[in-house]
Each structure stands twice: as structure tokens, then as C-alpha cells.
Amino acid sequence: MQVRVLGCSGAIAKDCRTTSFLVDDDLLVDAGTGVGDLTLEQMAGIDDVLLTHSHLDHIAALPLMIDAIASRRAQPLRVHALRATIEALRAHVFNNVIWPDFASIPSREAPFVSFHDIAIGQTLQLGARRPKAIEVLPAVHTVPACGFAVRCANGQGPHWVFSGDTERNPPFWDRVNALDVAMLVIETAFSDREKALAQRSLHLSPASLVDELAHIAPGRHYPIYITHTKPAETGEIMSQIDAITADWQARGVAQHDIRWLQTASVLTV
């Protein structure tokens, strides 16, 4: 299974695209501005979209993508999200004011998009061409939110785990520690200089990230990719996390394999 990083920034700027991942070629996880780098053919090949929550940086490209590929698809694009996320999309995006209601165009019997409720703890089986199993993980954010653990549907391989936007989240770690994890993608949106804002907006900063990583069960080691950094603070966040890892090394304590997620990189699970 391959995960292509279309976007991993917490906001836009030159070369910064917001959260979106293409799993193999038919599953999109979040629909931030990075989706715009796909060709029409690549977008038309996506059958299912998983959304972690309703914030704009995670859904911005969804209405535009549907508009771009609707005529190229024989079946509706299936969007899977928490019920609250779907209600927000229907009320505030696909409302015939901000954007057409593609769930009823060209008809309710044959729409361009269909919405499907998911719930924390649920496991989905998605993908006819490249089947995948997706477990819906808990997240703690300012709106109802979730993360995902994705693996090949044959059940033999490890999981690609994505935290979504979250602050401190013990139930997430309880479940992750029970999974075979190939790699973890976890947000760290703000620097410690802005840690009060991070806590208020229910995001992580380097200090709270370290607290969260302490929940990883002893003996468990896998790459941890940092995502969702704000462009204005990315350098500061990177420096602070580098200082933390240098301190771990100097004190001889157990270290985590922390890496920086980059747009256009491809992760192989």
C-alpha cells in the first residue's frame, strides 16, 4: 500500500498545501488544497474520500474536485465522515449557496456524491480495485473529529495511522498500542511559543507532542511523521523538536524516530 502526501501544511503559502493523502490511487484521506495537484484522471480514479473533520483546511478541495470530475464518473463519489461532519458539509458547503448540492444533482437517484456516516471504533472495508480496511480512531478537537488506521484488507499488513487534528488523547493511544503500526502521522500545529493557543484550539505543540508520545507502549518503535505545522512556525517547531530529540540522546533515554512529512513524498506501508 502506498500513501502519497498531497498536502501536509496547516495553512497555505507558496509550496504549502493543506492536509490530503492519496492511498494507492482510489482512496483520499482528507481533501485539503493538495488535491489540486492531481490530474483530472487521477481525481476521477478516486472512489472514496475519508474526512477527519469539517474544518476548511481538510475539506477545501472537495467541492471543487467533485465539480471537476463529475462528468467523468459513472458512480457517485463516496464521502465517509462522522455524522456531524456530514451535517456541516450539507449545511454550510453543499447548500446551493456556497456550492451546489451535488448529493441531489443531477438527481437524488443518481447524484454526483453520496455521504456515508462513520463512527469512532468502526472498521470499514473500502476499495473494489485495491481493498483496504480502515478503523476510525478517536480525536480531540474543537469540532467532532477522528483519525484513521488504514491497512490492506487482507489483514496481513501493518497500519498507516493518521491522528487527524487532535490535542491530548489517551483513548487514541490505547487503541494504537493494540495495532500493528507501520508508521504514525501526527499533527504538531504550533510551536511552544504558541502553546496556549495550541491548547485552546486543541492542537499539539512540541511539548504536548512529547507528552503524547510517552503513551507509546514500551518496545514499540516505528517512524513518526510530523504534519500540519503552520507555515509561519514550521522552522521554530522543527528546531524545538530537534532540541527535544537531542536532549533524549544526551540523557540516553529511549528515543522515537521522528521525521518531517513533506508534500509529494510517498510512504510505502
Side-chain angles (χ1 to χ4, degrees):
M1 187 175 72
Q2 289 192 327
V3 179
R4 177 178 168 186
V5 183
L6 304 178
C8 56
S9 176
I12 61 168
K14 186 180 183 335
D15 298 325
C16 295
R17 294 156 177 80
T18 65
T19 305
S20 44
F21 303 93
L22 183 62
V23 183
D24 290 334
D25 56 4
D26 57 352
L27 173 65
L28 187 67
V29 178
D30 277 341
T33 61
V35 175
D37 287 337
L38 295 175
T39 66
L40 282 172
E41 290 73 20
Q42 289 169 328
M43 285 191 286
I46 297 169
D47 294 323
D48 295 281
V49 179
L50 294 167
L51 298 177
T52 57
H53 64 295
S54 60
H55 281 163
L56 188 61
D57 53 328
H58 296 255
I59 61 98
L62 180 63
L64 296 169
M65 181 180 80
I66 297 169
D67 191 32
I69 65 173
S71 64
R72 292 171 174 254
R73 291 186 54 83
Q75 299 294 326
L77 178 71
R78 296 182 294 266
V79 175
H80 310 266
L82 299 175
R83 176 170 296 183
T85 301
I86 293 173
E87 290 174 349
L89 288 172
R90 288 185 179 277
H92 303 297
V93 179
F94 298 100
N95 59 4
N96 290 318
V97 176
I98 299 300
W99 208 245
D101 177 14
F102 283 134
S104 61
I105 297 173
S107 69
R108 292 193 179 277
E109 294 72 29
F112 288 145
V113 64
S114 60
F115 294 107
H116 305 269
D117 291 358
I118 61 175
I120 303 298
Q122 182 179 359
T123 298
L124 313 172
Q125 300 285 334
L126 299 179
R129 290 169 290 152
R130 298 191 177 192
K132 284 163 279 290
I134 300 101
E135 182 171 339
V136 185
L137 302 175
V140 176
H141 200 37
T142 55
V143 296
C146 62
F148 298 110
V150 184
R151 68 172 172 174
C152 294
N154 61 18
Q156 301 302 311
H159 295 78
W160 174 74
V161 177
F162 175 41
S163 71
D165 285 10
T166 190
E167 219 254 352
R168 292 173 177 85
N169 188 5
F172 172 84
W173 298 106
D174 290 344
R175 185 59 194 141
V176 168
N177 284 331
L179 299 175
D180 181 9
V181 178
M183 61 190 69
L184 167 66
V185 175
I186 188 168
E187 70 119 285
T188 308
F190 292 96
S191 68
D192 283 335
R193 176 173 52 84
E194 298 283 5
K195 62 183 179 182
L197 178 57
Q199 187 171 12
R200 179 179 175 183
S201 58
L202 295 181
H203 283 288
L204 297 175
S205 67
S208 52
L209 171 70
V210 170
D211 291 342
E212 287 299 276
L213 297 184
H215 289 282
I216 296 176
R220 303 292 299 276
H221 299 285
Y222 41 79
I224 298 167
Y225 290 90
I226 304 301
T227 189
H228 206 282
T229 60
K230 301 294 184 181
E233 295 194 68
T234 296
E236 190 173 358
I237 294 167
M238 292 174 67
S239 295
Q240 289 171 352
I241 292 180
D242 286 346
I244 289 167
T245 56
D247 177 66
W248 286 339
Q249 186 174 11
R251 293 189 292 116
V253 300
Q255 298 183 56
H256 297 287
D257 180 8
I258 297 179
R259 308 180 185 184
W260 300 100
L261 203 63
Q262 296 186 4
T263 296
S265 59
V266 177
L267 309 175
T268 300
V269 181

